[in-house]
Amino acid sequence: MINKKGEKLLSLYWFLMLTIIVVGIVVMVRTFYGNPYDVRSLEAEVLNNHVSNCISSGGRMNPLLIWPGTGQYQESFKDTFTDKCRLNLEGHNEFDPVEYYVEVNLYNKFDKKSFATFFNGNKNWIGDCQASNQYKNLAVCFNSTFYSSDSLGNLYRVETLTIVHKIKENVKQN
Amino acid sequence: MQNKKGETTLLVENIIFLVLNMLFFAILIAFIVQQSSGAALLEQTYSKKVALLVDQAKPGMIIKLNLEEGMNVAAKDKIAPTAILTVQDNFIKVKLADGGGQEYHFFNDVDVKIFPETDDNGDYSGVYVLTVNRKIAGEAET
């Protein structure tokens, strides 16, 4: 009699354990696979590399940006920056907000003031770069600085900032 | 006699217990596998992976991708292999189930053409070929 009662208690305990394990695993799996993969940091880095390669390829400034013979900055590059760098930042239609921002600052050697700045994309995301990166509902930013020279040997410092927003595709919406 | 009967009962109980345990874990593993290979998850993974690949691609590149797993999932809903992976307006679209589909934007302004590879018998192998070319001004995307 005592044994049967003990067995019943044990099976009830076992059933309770199984239920807890099942619920735990289901919740964990659902949480893991329910969240979209956040690839924005990767994308921001790839975009940064793409822009950097366009500005300077193989350590030499783009001849369309810095004229090789004279070392003169070509102002026209600013307006055709996205075309020259093969960038398409637009969404499906013109009313969709642009999900990217790209900014390039050019400096002479170690100057503190840039002699040229050009950008494209949605400026609204810049503010997100100042905020702490613990908030997922903010755009992801990527900065890089490198040095490059023109054909005359003049040295330039290039600072690029790329931002990717794309929250809808990369962060779980509550 | 009583001892033997008792032993048999204990053995049967143990076997039932073990079988139930194995069944329980089998169902649990099947659930995890099903969750990890669902159409929605694969659509998301493929669209993002392909978009990032295209972002890094240079004109003139030919990229081959093995999407066999996705093709098997799409076959359940009779999605044509040519409709699984498409590109439109700088968006990579992946469709593995009816009513589903996921798209992801790529910033690289290149002309991308995608087609599924066929083997010698004309069957789709699950491999997709992406050709990346310089975009010609005024050319309509396909």
Side-chain angles (χ1 to χ4, degrees):
Chain A
M1 191 70 182
I2 297 165
N3 267 354
K4 279 208 170 181
K5 203 178 174 185
E7 270 173 26
K8 268 188 183 175
L9 198 71
L10 196 69
S11 53
L12 191 75
Y13 171 75
W14 179 247
F15 181 73
L16 193 74
M17 283 290 286
L18 280 187
T19 313
I20 291 168
I21 291 168
V22 167
V23 170
I25 290 176
V26 168
V27 168
M28 280 191 287
V29 169
R30 287 266 174 187
T31 311
F32 183 75
Y33 290 115
N35 285 319
Y37 292 119
D38 193 352
V39 294
R40 291 175 301 161
S41 54
L42 248 174
E43 201 175 354
E45 193 177 340
V46 172
L47 178 57
N48 203 294
N49 285 341
H50 184 95
V51 173
S52 299
N53 277 332
C54 170
I55 301 298
S56 165
S57 182
R60 277 285 157 92
M61 292 298 280
N62 189 333
L64 299 170
L65 176 65
I66 303 291
W67 199 248
T70 57
Q72 280 284 309
Y73 164 63
Q74 299 297 301
E75 195 76 34
S76 60
F77 190 88
K78 196 187 241 181
D79 306 321
T80 54
F81 160 56
T82 46
D83 288 338
K84 296 259 176 13
C85 290
R86 291 200 319 270
L87 287 172
N88 185 339
L89 309 180
E90 305 295 325
H92 269 308
N93 58 62
E94 57 184 308
F95 302 111
D96 287 340
V98 175
E99 300 280 5
Y100 303 91
Y101 179 75
V102 179
E103 185 180 306
V104 179
N105 287 295
L106 300 175
Y107 300 84
N108 270 319
K109 276 185 191 169
F110 309 111
D111 283 1
K112 285 189 177 172
K113 198 168 179 282
S114 67
F115 68 87
T117 299
F118 41 92
F119 52 85
N120 201 292
N122 195 334
K123 273 187 160 184
N124 291 332
W125 313 136
I126 299 173
D128 289 4
C129 299
Q130 270 84 55
S132 166
N133 58 4
Q134 63 174 321
Y135 302 109
K136 283 192 167 183
N137 282 322
L138 297 175
V140 174
C141 311
F142 192 90
N143 282 292
S144 76
T145 304
F146 63 92
Y147 290 88
S148 183
S149 63
D150 60 16
S151 56
L152 301 171
N154 299 317
L155 196 65
Y156 302 93
R157 190 170 88 250
V158 184
E159 286 183 4
T160 55
L161 165 69
T162 50
I163 306 174
V164 178
H165 187 245
K166 289 189 173 180
I167 281 177
K168 214 170 81 182
E169 298 96 328
N170 291 284
V171 180
K172 193 178 182 181
Q173 304 296 305
N174 294 317
Chain B
M1 191 66 182
Q2 262 185 348
N3 265 353
K4 277 211 170 179
K5 198 181 175 184
E7 276 170 21
T8 315
T9 317
L10 198 69
L11 188 72
V12 170
E13 275 176 8
N14 275 327
I15 289 170
I16 291 171
F17 177 76
L18 279 172
V19 168
L20 283 176
N21 265 323
M22 280 157 72
L23 196 73
F24 165 77
F25 283 109
I27 291 169
L28 210 61
I29 289 164
F31 167 75
I32 295 167
V33 168
Q34 185 252 326
Q35 286 287 309
S36 63
S37 61
L41 190 77
L42 278 177
E43 280 173 355
Q44 190 206 152
T45 315
Y46 286 158
S47 61
K48 287 179 179 175
K49 270 186 183 174
V50 176
L52 286 175
L53 267 175
V54 172
D55 278 337
Q56 294 178 84
K58 299 260 186 294
M61 273 188 177
I62 295 171
I63 302 164
K64 282 189 176 189
L65 287 166
N66 189 347
L67 306 185
E68 204 178 341
E69 194 185 346
M71 201 179 248
N72 293 336
V73 172
K76 287 175 195 162
D77 275 2
K78 292 178 180 161
I79 307 283
T82 48
I84 290 174
L85 186 64
T86 52
V87 61
Q88 194 182 25
D89 298 333
N90 268 63
F91 278 87
I92 293 290
K93 284 186 177 182
V94 180
K95 188 180 165 73
L96 300 175
D98 278 334
Q102 177 108 18
E103 58 179 27
Y104 203 77
H105 182 266
F106 58 93
F107 58 76
N108 197 0
D109 199 19
V110 285
D111 178 34
V112 182
K113 294 224 171 8
I114 301 173
F115 57 92
E117 199 179 61
T118 50
D119 57 21
D120 295 338
N121 302 322
D123 297 323
Y124 293 108
S125 58
V127 174
Y128 282 78
V129 181
L130 281 82
T131 58
V132 183
N133 289 304
R134 202 173 287 276
K135 208 177 242 180
I136 300 160
E139 189 189 66
E141 279 184 73
T142 52

